[in-house]
């Protein structure tokens, strides 16, 4: 995902004459193919996006989870939940979506009005997994190189040095992604899909694990660029945040007045290796063929087919969920099952993730938009029509 023609050259500046800790000298271009690449720090192996495994490792999906593995996963997830609860009050759906997306190896889109702890949740999640965190405030003049990185000419050595952009972190918060231009959106989404960036012909793999939390404000449309459906489909989940209850809001005020929200986090965070372990275990959560057939029937019903087609669905849904939606339903159900302490998926796991997985994958008709037919209502109608195994 390079922009070779957009190379930032800074002449006569002190910053250009020095290399920071994250700078990489790049005197010559390297091939952008897979496998390994060479930098001044030695060969670096590249891992495809969504692999959820360390380079060279493989996951044996046929081997069922042992009780000791489930207990280990439960203990790790309990530590993440304990740290998360110290900063975010309520928002159980947000916590489930973030943790499920993390261990399923995907990315999440958050939609809400300002002030509902989206940034706090992202920062806390990064702290809970011992990962690096970068926040990118999207604006109309934000360029792809501002996110990915750029090359700077070093007068001391007479070479170009590469300054990696803020996308190179374990957890990246894209605040108000719909305020950035389509070109910048596509650059970020390409990094999400490929798990790497390309600067000046060189490939730089993103950290592992890598997760993007993108936010958008639904009440402001001026100066925004709506995400196309094809790009929204690449997010594993879309969580819509609601206001806290009065009791939860009182708790927020209590924690703020006592300084608890600014106090150091208590409890031991999990390591990045633990996150990789959770991803391996999620991959091995058993999904019976009947559950897979159930998921396929649900997805086909959103397209107007399925075992029990909804006769009036075409009036409200113009485009149904794609096969990527079926994969997301299965991956989300596996993540929920592991959080529930089970090594197998049940139909309730699929139903539990139906809204965050499918709400951004159904393209509604003009009549549905004009009549304010919520996508959640359409999803519920599909689930009521398809019998569970």
């Amino acid at each position: 995902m390079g922009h070779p023609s957009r190379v930032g050259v800074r002449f006569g500046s002190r910053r250009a004459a020095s290399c920071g800790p994250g700078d990489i000298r790049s005197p010559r271009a390297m091939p952008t193919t897979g496998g390994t690449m060479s930098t001044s720090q030695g060969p670096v192996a590249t891992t495809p996006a969504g692999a959820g495994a360390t380079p060279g490792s493989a996951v044996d999906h046929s081997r069922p989870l042992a009780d000791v593995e489930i207990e280990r996963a439960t203990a790790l997830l309990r530590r993440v939940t304990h740290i998360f609860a110290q900063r975010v009050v309520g928002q159980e759906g947000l916590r489930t979506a973030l943790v499920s997306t993390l261990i399923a190896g995907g990315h999440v889109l958050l939609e809400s009005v300002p002030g509902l702890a989206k940034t706090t949740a992202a920062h806390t999640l990064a702290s809970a997994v011992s990962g690096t965190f970068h926040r990118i405030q999207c604006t109309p003049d934000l360029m792809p190189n501002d996110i990915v990185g750029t090359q700077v000419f070093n007068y001391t050595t007479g070479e170009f040095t590469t300054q990696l952009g803020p996308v190179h972190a374990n957890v990246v918060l894209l605040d108000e992604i719909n305020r950035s231009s389509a070109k910048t959106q596509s650059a970020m989404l390409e990094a999400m899909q490929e798990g790497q960036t390309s600067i000046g012909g060189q490939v730089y793999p993103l950290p592992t694990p890598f997760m993007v939390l993108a936010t958008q404000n639904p009440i402001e449309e001026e100066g925004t660029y709506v995400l196309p459906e094809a790009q929204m489909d690449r997010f594993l989940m879309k969580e819509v945040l609601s206001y806290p209850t009065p009791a939860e809001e009182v708790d927020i005020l209590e924690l703020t007045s006592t300084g608890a929200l600014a106090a150091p986090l208590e409890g031991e965070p999990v390591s990045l290796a633990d996150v990789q372990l959770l991803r391996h275990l999620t991959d091995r959560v058993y999904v019976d063929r009947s559950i897979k057939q159930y998921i396929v029937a649900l997805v086909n019903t959103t397209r107007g087919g399925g075992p029990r087609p909804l006769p009036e669905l075409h009036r409200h849904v113009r485009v149904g969920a794609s096969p990527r939606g079926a994969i997301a339903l299965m991956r989300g159900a596996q993540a929920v099952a592991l959080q529930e302490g089970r090594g197998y998926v049940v139909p309730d796991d699929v139903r539990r993730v139906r809204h965050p997985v499918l709400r951004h994958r159904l393209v509604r008709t003009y009549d549905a938009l004009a009549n304010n037919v919520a996508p959640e209502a359409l999803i519920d109608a599909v689930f009521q029509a398809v019998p569970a195994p």
Side-chain angles (χ1 to χ4, degrees):
M1 183 187 63
H3 302 277
S5 61
R6 304 189 62 87
V7 178
V9 182
R10 304 177 188 174
F11 298 98
S13 65
R14 292 181 179 270
R15 183 175 180 181
S18 61
C19 297
D23 296 344
I24 300 177
R25 296 185 180 275
S26 52
R28 57 183 179 272
M30 295 184 295
T32 58
T33 55
T36 61
M37 68 172 194
S38 298
T39 67
S40 60
Q41 300 169 344
V44 179
T46 59
T47 305
T54 56
S57 65
V59 179
D60 184 5
H61 296 270
S62 61
R63 185 163 58 93
L65 291 178
D67 290 341
V68 64
E69 293 175 314
I70 296 177
E71 292 173 1
R72 172 65 173 164
T74 301
L76 293 174
L77 292 170
R78 189 181 298 117
R79 285 159 58 184
V80 173
T81 302
H82 173 68
I83 293 178
F84 194 85
Q86 297 177 46
R87 289 287 187 267
V88 182
V89 178
Q91 301 291 3
E92 185 64 23
L94 173 62
R95 183 195 63 80
T96 301
L98 292 182
V99 175
S100 299
T101 302
L102 176 67
I103 65 177
H107 310 283
V108 63
L109 179 64
L110 306 177
E111 181 177 286
S112 77
V113 297
L116 293 186
K118 298 185 294 295
T119 302
T120 301
H123 195 282
T124 304
L125 180 67
S127 300
V129 300
S130 306
T132 55
F133 172 78
H134 285 162
R135 176 179 178 269
I136 303 173
Q137 180 63 52
C138 296
T139 57
D141 60 348
L142 187 72
M143 299 301 294
N145 288 345
D146 297 329
I147 293 177
V148 174
T150 187
Q151 287 188 320
V152 178
F153 186 74
N154 190 326
Y155 257 115
T156 303
T157 62
E159 300 172 348
F160 282 98
T161 59
T162 299
Q163 291 184 344
L164 300 180
V167 71
H168 289 265
N170 295 115
V171 179
V172 177
L173 175 65
L174 273 179
D175 214 353
E176 294 187 297
I177 187 175
N178 54 334
R179 289 199 177 277
S180 59
S181 65
K183 186 176 183 179
T184 303
Q185 291 176 7
S186 63
M188 187 65 213
L189 292 169
E190 187 176 349
M192 293 163 48
Q193 184 69 16
E194 302 298 331
Q196 63 186 27
T197 61
S198 178
I199 306 171
Q202 302 183 39
V203 173
Y204 300 97
L206 295 173
T208 303
F210 173 68
M211 177 180 173
V212 170
L213 294 83
T215 72
Q216 61 181 11
N217 188 342
I219 63 174
E220 294 181 0
E221 296 182 356
E222 185 177 355
T224 62
Y225 302 83
V226 180
L227 278 174
E229 284 79 6
Q231 293 182 352
M232 292 184 65
D233 192 51
R234 298 189 182 277
F235 288 95
L236 181 71
M237 294 186 181
K238 176 185 177 182
E239 182 66 22
V240 178
L241 281 66
S242 59
Y243 287 109
T245 64
E248 292 171 345
E249 213 158 352
V250 170
D251 290 339
I252 294 174
L253 297 181
E254 288 284 354
L255 293 174
T256 303
S257 61
T258 59
L261 292 180
L265 292 171
E266 299 178 357
E268 181 184 0
V270 302
S271 66
L272 295 179
D274 291 332
V275 176
Q276 290 297 93
L277 172 64
L278 289 172
R279 288 188 171 185
H280 292 331
L281 298 180
T282 302
D283 291 338
R284 290 173 47 208
V285 171
Y286 176 71
V287 184
D288 191 73
R289 185 175 179 84
S290 62
I291 298 293
K292 296 175 182 176
Q293 293 172 340
Y294 176 53
I295 292 174
V296 171
L298 291 167
V299 171
N300 274 271
T301 303
T302 66
R303 307 171 193 158
R308 296 183 182 179
L310 294 175
E312 298 297 321
L313 187 66
H314 67 280
R315 296 180 57 247
H316 303 293
V317 178
R318 182 160 54 93
V319 180
S322 67
R324 187 184 285 126
I327 296 173
L329 269 178
M330 184 181 70
R331 297 290 293 159
Q334 287 177 301
V336 168
L338 188 64
Q339 293 176 71
E340 293 295 327
R342 283 183 280 102
Y344 55 90
V345 172
V346 298
D348 282 342
D349 298 328
V350 181
R351 283 192 288 265
R352 186 171 172 182
V353 298
R354 67 189 187 279
H355 290 162
V357 168
L358 294 178
R359 61 162 53 103
H360 59 297
R361 292 184 162 91
L362 300 185
V363 182
R364 289 173 291 171
T365 62
Y366 175 79
D367 289 342
L369 294 172
N371 296 323
N372 200 24
V373 179
E376 292 81 3
L378 299 173
I379 295 169
D380 289 341
V382 169
F383 271 75
Q384 290 174 5
V386 179

